[in-house]
């Protein structure tokens, strides 16, 4: 571990020197990548130095027979060592990215659409707790205020520390989310089960995915709202079909055709990036079972039981009875259980290597 960090200290100095060169910042992609790497290395080196300092303080406390201080440091040194070891585990290359989040109502009619809206509010409040910005790119609402579908961009401010970017946190949310509760439309008070699907994509930048204009079919149509009521009288909604893959994206939220096209292209690039990454992951010999992009997206991942105020994640076995808080954005413990499971898989993969 000592040798591994020492090599990173050298890299940290090199990256810092490059960032000090004004010419680097003329290339936005390179400057952004260097900034992310610098933040990652800075966090690792900070913990490394804390670990070294704590070890030296422990030796001094033992020599001076400072029993209480030595006891505290005996706990702190291994804690820092474990934290450092976790930080040195190779990360998902997409972890530093922002997110395109898609939520679609499933079986269950109006209740499913209302649950999709609940999930959107839950993720929005979770994002607020982390200081992220959420922009709704496209949505199809129902008369009761639910969502047949909603697509949003979740963006961090500045350069987050390792593991703190939107994709690093939200990538485990992909899959089918099931809800058990009495719908507002239920007159007999019976509990119903319905579901909504969540798709989490790392937001692609222009340079991540090259899209040939000749591969696109772009159609325009008139936007419509709940119940088919006309939202405007111009053909401003845009549907883009990527002919080689058959991926179809549409946007109608913005007032202008140009704005809707730009939003649709953001979503399309992210879907193409995700598809390319999924293909690469499937071919990789060390693809991890817990990686969201490699699992069947139809898999039921979580159940929200409102009568019992219970939330259950079916991948890790996590269970808690604070659903009212979770649905209000307190997702850290739930997501934390998935992050820990993913880390355990990564560590196991490293140990299995010859």
């Amino acid at each position: 571990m000592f040798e591994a960090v020492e090599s990173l200290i050298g890299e940290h100095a090199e990256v810092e020197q490059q960032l000090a060169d004004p010419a680097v910042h003329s290339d936005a992609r390179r400057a952004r990548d260097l900034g992310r790497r610098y933040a990652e290395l800075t966090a690792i080196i900070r913990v490394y130095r804390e670990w070294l300092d704590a070890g030296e303080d422990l030796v001094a406390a033992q020599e001076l027979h400072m029993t209480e201080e030595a006891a505290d440091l005996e706990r702190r040194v291994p804690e820092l060592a474990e934290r450092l070891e976790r930080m040195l585990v190779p990360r998902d290359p997409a972890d530093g990215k922002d997110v395109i989040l898609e939520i679609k109502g499933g079986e269950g009619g109006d209740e499913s659409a209302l649950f999709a809206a609940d999930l959107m509010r839950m993720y929005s409040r979770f994002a607020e707790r982390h200081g992220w910005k959420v922009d709704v790119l496209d949505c199809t609402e129902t008369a009761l205020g639910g969502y047949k579908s909603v697509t949003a961009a979740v963006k961090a401010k500045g350069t987050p520390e390792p593991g703190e970017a939107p994709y690093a946190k939200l990538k485990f949310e992909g899959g089918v989310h099931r809800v058990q509760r009495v719908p507002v439309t239920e007159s007999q008070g019976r509990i119903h089960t319905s579901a909504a699907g969540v798709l989490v994509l790392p937001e692609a930048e222009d340079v991540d995915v090259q899209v040939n204009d000749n591969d696109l079919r772009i159609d325009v149509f008139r936007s419509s709202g709940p119940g088919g009521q006309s939202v405007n009288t111009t053909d401003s909604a845009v549907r883009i079909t990527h002919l080689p893959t058959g991926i179809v994206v549409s946007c109608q939220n913005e007032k202008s055709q140009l704005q809707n096209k730009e939003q649709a292209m953001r979503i399309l690039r992210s879907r193409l990036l995700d598809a390319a990454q999924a293909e690469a992951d499937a071919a990789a010999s060390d693809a991890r079972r817990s990686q969201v992009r490699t699992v069947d997206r139809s898999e039921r991942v979580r159940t929200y039981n409102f009568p019992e105020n219970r939330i259950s994640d079916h991948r890790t076995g996590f269970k808690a009875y604070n659903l009212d808080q979770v649905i209000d954005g307190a997702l850290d413990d739930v997501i934390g259980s998935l992050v820990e499971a993913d880390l355990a898989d990564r560590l196991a993969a490293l140990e299995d290597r010859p």
Side-chain angles (χ1 to χ4, degrees), residues 57-71:
D57 291 343
L58 173 58
V59 172
Q62 290 171 335
E63 290 177 349
L64 296 172
H65 304 290
M66 302 167 67
T67 308
E68 186 175 342
E69 289 80 355

Side-chain angles (χ1 to χ4, degrees), residues 115 118 179-181 304-310 323 327:
F115 179 49
D118 288 339
V179 62
Q180 296 172 324
R181 65 183 177 187
Y304 303 72
N305 186 304
F306 278 78
E308 297 181 14
N309 198 34
R310 185 185 75 237
L323 176 55
I327 210 71

Side-chain angles (χ1 to χ4, degrees), residues 19-163:
L19 286 171
D21 182 357
V24 167
H25 297 275
S26 63
D27 184 340
R29 167 69 183 274
R30 186 183 177 201
R32 183 170 53 248
D33 289 346
L34 286 171
R36 287 173 178 168
R37 183 58 175 164
Y38 185 75
E40 181 179 355
L41 293 171
T42 298
I44 293 172
I45 292 169
R46 183 173 62 247
V47 174
Y48 173 65
R49 287 172 176 160
E50 289 179 9
W51 173 61
L52 289 178
D53 290 343
E56 293 174 359
D57 291 343
L58 173 58
V59 172
Q62 290 171 335
E63 290 177 349
L64 296 172
H65 304 290
M66 302 167 67
T67 308
E68 186 175 342
E69 289 80 355
D72 289 339
L73 289 164
E74 284 174 352
R75 289 190 294 270
R76 181 165 172 73
V77 169
E79 288 174 357
L80 287 169
E82 181 182 359
R83 184 178 171 191
L84 182 58
E85 182 182 23
R86 291 157 62 98
M87 296 178 78
L88 290 172
V89 175
R91 291 187 171 274
D92 185 334
D95 273 359
K97 289 185 176 291
D98 296 321
V99 156
I100 296 293
L101 175 69
E102 300 183 21
I103 305 173
K104 295 181 182 294
E107 297 180 1
D110 285 332
E111 165 61 5
S112 176
L114 289 170
F115 179 49
D118 288 339
L119 291 176
M120 186 64 224
R121 283 191 293 272
M122 178 182 75
Y123 292 126
S124 296
R125 289 169 181 169
F126 178 71
E128 289 173 6
R129 290 168 182 244
H130 287 266
W132 303 335
K133 182 182 179 182
V134 177
D135 288 324
V136 174
L137 304 181
D138 189 55
C139 67
T140 303
E141 298 181 69
T142 65
L144 292 179
Y147 286 128
K148 289 182 180 178
S149 66
V150 56
T151 303
V154 183
K155 186 175 182 63
K157 297 178 182 178
T159 303
E161 289 199 357

